[in-house]
Amino acid sequence: MVDVIELDAGQYPPDDETCYIVTRDPTGRFYVTESGVGFVKSEQASFYPVSEQERRSTIDRATKYAGQHGVHAVYVVS
């Protein structure tokens, strides 16, 4: 079972946990990254309109990856 954890503004995923992270790039598009790759939140992305369909699709993709690789958490960064 994979937990999807929605983080509020100013919250970040833990540094010491293997997880997938759903966040936005500087153009506002959602993408999935791994905890070991490094995570840099783009403040610029928050100025772009949010597509709920793209967001949901990215969360679903991250959840699927997590399940396939035995990772128990997906963090969604606002």
Side-chain angles (χ1 to χ4, degrees):
M1 169 119 186
V2 177
D3 293 322
V4 176
I5 301 136
E6 301 263 353
L7 299 176
D8 292 325
Q11 292 183 314
Y12 298 95
D15 291 330
D16 60 347
E17 181 180 352
T18 300
C19 61
Y20 284 101
I21 302 164
V22 174
T23 190
R24 296 172 79 188
D25 69 14
T27 68
R29 294 188 56 97
F30 286 95
Y31 71 100
V32 179
T33 187
E34 296 179 44
S35 55
V37 173
F39 164 72
V40 178
K41 182 178 177 184
S42 171
E43 297 299 332
Q44 180 183 359
S46 63
F47 293 108
Y48 290 87
V50 175
S51 164
E52 187 56 36
Q53 180 181 0
E54 180 187 351
R55 179 180 178 276
R56 184 76 251 160
S57 173
T58 307
I59 292 169
D60 290 346
R61 190 170 69 244
T63 303
K64 181 179 176 182
Y65 292 162
Q68 290 173 339
H69 296 101
V71 174
H72 300 286
V74 170
Y75 288 89
V76 181
V77 179
S78 299

